[in-house]
Amino acid sequence: MYLTNVKKFVRMGTNVIPTHEKCMKEMLGPALFAGMGVFFCCLLKGYYLLIALALVLIVALNMIITYKISSCTMTLRRCLMLKSVLYVTYIIVLSLFELIFFLMWKGLHPSVILLYIPIIIIPIWIMWQNNRIMKKETEYTPKSTVVSNIGKMGFTSGIIGANIARIFKNVEQSTAIIIILIGVTFVNSLMSVGLGFIQKVYWAEKYRITFEDDNKC
């Protein structure tokens, strides 16, 4: 690994040290989505209530984890861990949101797997690409990497969206459910990029990378 580039990459995206209060406020985002999901599940009742319970438990667990990490003295690794926890929470909550609308549309069907292909492929591809770039002994250029990742992410989620739309084509169901489902799938694909922070946590620990100075992480 070209350590200079690894350090630059790991520190990128963590501009200031987050306060405990800010960390807890950031968790309100996935909590809001979870609340909406619980509301729909309570209206639908039946096995949807199991999804509602899962949403509550996921948000509660991640709030506890966020509270414990942010209560400690903040280090670069903890900054990155908090971002990882936030994105993982978003992805799980949105994935359950996708499941709710898919069940409303078609019930339990093997094609539900299509919804989750982007959130698996996209972060794996990005982490592999990051690993390849960090091995090169050339100066790291974050902008070009970000643009490239967004392009690949859009291409992948576009293919999945097209396949889902084709499945929907001959089914007599609410157009609103179809639009919402595809929209949530796309948003979840965007969020999956944030799983790259897990790779940063690993490198920060492995190479003992710390704050660049007292004010930045």
Side-chain angles (χ1 to χ4, degrees):
M1 287 289 182
Y2 189 36
L3 195 54
T4 300
N5 281 347
V6 174
K7 288 180 178 180
K8 186 187 299 185
F9 171 73
V10 169
R11 289 172 178 147
M12 184 185 70
T14 49
N15 299 320
V16 295
I17 302 173
T19 63
H20 174 72
E21 291 74 18
K22 182 180 179 181
C23 292
M24 296 306 297
K25 285 180 180 178
E26 286 181 339
M27 287 302 300
L28 294 178
L32 178 60
F33 277 108
M36 294 170 61
V38 170
F39 174 75
F40 282 119
C41 289
C42 290
L43 290 178
L44 297 167
K45 299 182 180 181
Y47 53 77
Y48 289 97
L49 295 177
L50 293 176
I51 300 177
L53 178 61
L55 285 167
V56 172
L57 291 177
I58 288 297
V59 171
L61 176 61
N62 282 278
M63 279 192 167
I64 292 171
I65 294 173
T66 300
Y67 180 86
K68 293 192 71 173
I69 295 176
S70 61
S71 295
C72 301
T73 301
M74 199 58 65
T75 63
L76 175 60
R77 188 169 65 90
R78 289 196 178 110
C79 283
L80 299 173
M81 286 175 64
L82 286 169
K83 288 183 179 291
S84 299
V85 169
L86 178 64
Y87 279 105
V88 168
T89 306
Y90 265 117
I91 290 168
I92 295 176
V93 169
L94 289 173
S95 294
L96 291 174
F97 223 81
E98 290 177 85
L99 181 60
I100 292 170
F101 285 98
F102 188 90
L103 291 174
M104 289 171 62
W105 162 64
K106 199 171 183 179
L108 194 58
H109 189 275
S111 58
V112 70
I113 296 173
L114 282 173
L115 298 175
Y116 305 114
I117 291 177
I119 62 173
I120 295 173
I121 293 179
I122 291 171
I124 289 176
W125 174 263
I126 289 175
M127 289 182 190
W128 174 81
Q129 186 183 54
N130 289 337
N131 189 69
R132 181 175 59 86
I133 292 173
M134 292 305 113
K135 288 182 178 179
K136 295 180 179 180
E137 293 192 6
T138 55
E139 186 177 357
Y140 174 59
T141 52
K143 184 177 180 180
S144 61
T145 304
V146 171
V147 171
S148 175
N149 286 339
I150 290 176
K152 293 180 177 66
M153 177 188 63
F155 178 74
T156 303
S157 57
I159 291 176
I160 301 303
N163 281 307
I164 293 174
R166 186 161 45 189
I167 293 173
F168 288 151
K169 187 176 180 180
N170 298 318
V171 180
E172 295 181 1
Q173 287 291 338
S174 171
T175 303
I177 294 178
I178 296 172
I179 294 173
I180 293 172
L181 183 57
I182 295 177
V184 175
T185 300
F186 182 74
V187 172
N188 211 12
S189 299
L190 292 175
M191 287 296 179
S192 70
V193 176
L195 294 180
F197 279 103
I198 296 175
Q199 186 179 41
K200 291 186 177 186
V201 172
Y202 170 73
W203 279 337
E205 179 67 21
K206 181 177 181 180
Y207 297 109
R208 304 297 178 186
I209 302 172
T210 57
F211 293 153
E212 190 169 15
D213 52 51
D214 292 334
N215 297 316
K216 296 181 180 180
C217 60

